Amino acid sequence: MNIGLLRNVFKEKKLSLSHPRLLIYQELSHTLSPLSPLEIFQSLLKKKKKIGLTSIYRSLELFESLGMVFKIVNGSSVKYKLCELENHHHHIVCKACGNVVELNFCDISDWSKKVTESTGYQVVDHELNFYGFCQSCKPLQTLSHNR
Ligand SMILES: [Zn+2]
Ligand SMILES: [Zn+2]
Ligand SMILES: [Zn+2]
């Protein structure tokens, strides 16, 4: 999502795109790999831009609630990756290196139907993450299993 689009999303939701929020967003868009709030803090500090960790946390939570970033929780580490897909989508996370790939398909209509059948709920939304091992981590994992 480019800055123009970002401005539009914020305008639509009647949110203000403050300077810190914009800087944090840009920080994420400069890299393809997921970043922790502390990494964003340090990288901004290097550019002589001091933004408090709390406000970085809050901005990232806001971006997440808007579906713009994906939050990767791995034990006690939390990282965020910018979403390239703008519509509803899912992610697969490598359990070894933490790489994330976005999935541009979603086919859980059968599952939704089952949920409705068993609970009577009308399903309106869902969140679902996949976890596994990426191509470069997969052979290593297989090796260590065989040992
Ligand atoms: Zn995404
Ligand atoms: Zn991996
Ligand atoms: Zn889905």
Side-chain angles (χ1 to χ4, degrees):
M1 195 180 289
N2 62 40
I3 300 301
L5 259 167
L6 182 72
R7 281 189 202 285
N8 280 343
V9 170
F10 269 70
K11 215 171 149 189
E12 253 171 44
K13 308 263 179 198
K14 305 213 185 331
L15 292 161
S16 84
L17 185 58
S18 60
H19 193 55
R21 283 176 183 169
L22 190 63
L23 287 175
I24 294 162
Y25 188 87
Q26 280 172 333
E27 221 35 59
L28 283 166
S29 63
H30 289 326
T31 168
L32 286 173
S33 53
L35 293 174
S36 73
L38 192 65
E39 283 168 338
I40 295 173
F41 174 80
Q42 286 163 342
S43 159
L44 285 169
L45 207 59
K46 262 185 224 153
K47 294 170 192 161
K48 307 254 181 277
K49 303 220 158 58
K50 194 170 162 56
I51 294 171
L53 254 181
T54 319
S55 100
I56 293 179
Y57 274 105
R58 287 208 196 111
S59 303
L60 290 169
E61 271 165 30
L62 176 69
F63 289 148
E64 194 206 0
S65 72
L66 295 170
M68 295 168 151
V69 299
F70 176 59
K71 184 180 183 178
I72 308 138
V73 183
N74 189 355
S76 60
S77 110
V78 176
K79 293 196 174 202
Y80 291 84
K81 184 192 187 301
L82 206 69
C83 280
E84 281 167 65
L85 298 173
E86 283 158 30
N87 297 325
H88 173 86
H89 62 280
H90 295 277
H91 302 90
I92 181 157
V93 183
C94 176
K95 286 174 83 78
C97 68
N99 256 350
V100 178
V101 176
E102 300 193 286
L103 310 167
N104 62 358
F105 51 87
C106 170
D107 188 13
I108 68 148
S109 50
D110 281 357
W111 205 4
S112 289
K113 220 188 283 166
K114 273 183 198 155
V115 172
T116 303
E117 276 166 14
S118 68
T119 64
Y121 274 56
Q122 181 197 359
V123 178
V124 292
D125 199 9
H126 62 266
E127 278 179 36
L128 180 69
N129 298 330
F130 294 88
Y131 297 91
F133 296 105
C134 73
Q135 300 237 14
S136 39
C137 295
K138 203 167 62 181
L140 290 167
Q141 284 297 326
T142 321
L143 263 176
S144 61
H145 274 298
N146 290 342
R147 241 174 248 156

